[in-house]
Amino acid sequence: MEFKDEIEKFKSIITESNNIVFFGGAGVSTASGIPDFRSKDGLYNQKDIQFEKYAPEYLLDRKCLKNNPKVFYEFYRQKLDTRNIEPNITHYKLADLEKIGKLKAIVTQNIDGLHQKAGSKNVIELHGTTAVSRCRRCNKEFNEEYIKNTTGVPRCECGGIIRPDVVLYGEQLPSNAIFDATEAIKSADTLIIAGTSLSVFPAAYLIYEFRGKNMVVINEEQLESVKFADLMIIGNIKEVFEQLEV
Ligand code: CNA
């Protein structure tokens, strides 16, 4: 088996830890079939004639929602539809680690709701969720279906534009999520960072709050910014979590 020693070390870290926090990104959900942003098959590398003239970041920027709303909603409907997607082994094992009291929080940059679908309770969503949308004028809440089942720019009966509860580039992160994530990471004895390029800020700064014993990084690509980690597993998250006996 590849990376056998690293897996053994990972297992013993889990055994000795009682306050684990998981900090994850889009790579956690690629095994469920949702492309990430920056991998070779990621959304930013897909050639799509309809959206080609726009920079990938622009399509999820508040400026796109403001100035090109039709393009924004078309991209959102086509590329961020996670309604029929199921959690994978990593989501389930993390839920199990929470159940047995070892894992205290999941801090996620993902907006797909898969951790909750797998049964995790304390999930801190830094970038919001596609599960809920809201009218920008009257704040009425809509479920996931609403935007996905309409065309053009979705509007509330009050006339306001309905937008998903996700944090777009250029927008602030929810302050309660930042607070909860900071508290959780600060008090953790082990921080597992997985499936994130750590290139979206301010979310990525949060890992520097960690004061505990073991920082574990699991990623398909080497990440220069966390070279100081106690354990770095360069590999597929799914293959690592498959080996964990919880
Ligand atoms: P990213 O920048 O695309 O990075 C993903 C990282 O995960 C890369 O370093 C990959 O090498 C790595 N990776 C991908 N698959 C695996 C795997 N199976 N095993 C190990 N490593 C893997 O994504 P980040 O999360 O760092 O960027 C933050 C953005 C992406 C957030 O704002 C998210 O909202 C956004 N995003 C979320 C989703 C989702 O909710 N599922 C999907 C796509 C993008």
Side-chain angles (χ1 to χ4, degrees):
M1 185 201 325
E2 250 186 300
F3 41 72
K4 193 167 179 286
D5 293 347
E6 284 96 330
I7 301 280
E8 286 314 311
K9 182 155 184 213
F10 184 46
K11 283 183 179 170
S12 63
I13 287 174
I14 300 286
T15 306
E16 73 177 49
S17 305
N18 292 306
N19 188 342
I20 302 170
V21 170
F22 182 88
F23 182 92
V28 175
S29 296
T30 49
S32 292
I34 306 176
D36 63 5
F37 277 171
R38 293 174 184 82
S39 292
K40 71 172 177 8
D41 300 322
L43 281 183
Y44 287 180
N45 294 312
Q46 288 177 8
K47 288 273 167 250
D48 191 326
I49 202 89
Q50 202 183 350
F51 303 114
E52 226 165 49
K53 60 181 170 184
Y54 304 99
E57 279 88 356
Y58 176 74
L59 292 159
L60 290 169
D61 193 294
R62 62 196 283 259
K63 290 192 199 114
C64 181
L65 176 61
K66 186 164 180 268
N67 302 326
N68 292 81
K70 282 192 178 146
V71 173
F72 172 84
Y73 283 104
E74 208 37 53
F75 182 80
Y76 183 78
R77 286 188 188 99
Q78 284 189 32
K79 306 291 184 187
L80 297 176
D81 191 347
T82 57
R83 284 172 296 174
N84 296 319
I85 306 269
E86 292 304 320
N88 63 63
I89 187 104
T90 306
H91 298 104
Y92 287 117
K93 289 267 164 119
L94 288 167
D96 291 343
L97 282 171
E98 184 184 52
K99 266 185 216 115
I100 61 170
K102 281 193 174 285
L103 185 131
K104 302 299 181 199
I106 290 173
V107 180
T108 185
Q109 299 167 86
N110 292 350
I111 53 177
D112 56 29
L114 290 181
H115 288 295
Q116 292 91 329
K117 213 170 175 182
S120 287
K121 299 284 179 245
N122 192 19
V123 182
I124 302 166
E125 293 173 311
L126 296 173
H127 292 156
T129 175
T130 58
V132 177
S133 300
R134 241 172 260 285
C135 171
R136 294 173 74 174
R137 191 183 286 170
C138 72
N139 215 32
K140 183 175 172 187
E141 195 178 305
F142 294 82
N143 69 16
E144 185 156 16
E145 302 297 318
Y146 197 85
I147 292 184
K148 306 281 167 60
N149 290 337
T150 50
T151 52
V153 179
R155 290 202 180 259
C156 176
E157 58 212 11
C158 79
I161 290 180
I162 298 164
R163 63 156 288 174
D165 243 3
V166 298
V167 178
L168 301 176
Y169 287 109
E171 293 181 333
Q172 287 195 345
L173 271 54
S175 51
N176 57 339
I178 291 280
F179 180 83
D180 292 348
T182 305
E183 291 300 298
I185 292 172
K186 256 187 186 163
S187 59
D189 56 12
T190 290
L191 180 66
I192 305 171
I193 300 167
T196 171
S197 60
L198 294 174
S199 56
V200 175
F201 297 94
Y205 287 131
L206 285 167
I207 63 161
Y208 298 104
E209 299 290 345
F210 182 60
R211 304 278 175 271
K213 190 162 174 236
N214 304 297
M215 182 186 276
V216 180
V217 177
I218 309 168
N219 211 67
E220 264 172 352
E221 56 173 344
Q222 175 95 37
L223 299 175
E224 295 300 316
S225 57
V226 277
K227 270 199 146 161
F228 55 88
D230 303 285
L231 174 62
M232 172 92 76
I233 307 181
I234 312 285
N236 191 308
I237 308 164
K238 181 171 166 266
E239 287 171 22
V240 175
F241 274 81
E242 261 165 6
Q243 324 232 4
L244 264 194
E245 290 131 28
V246 183

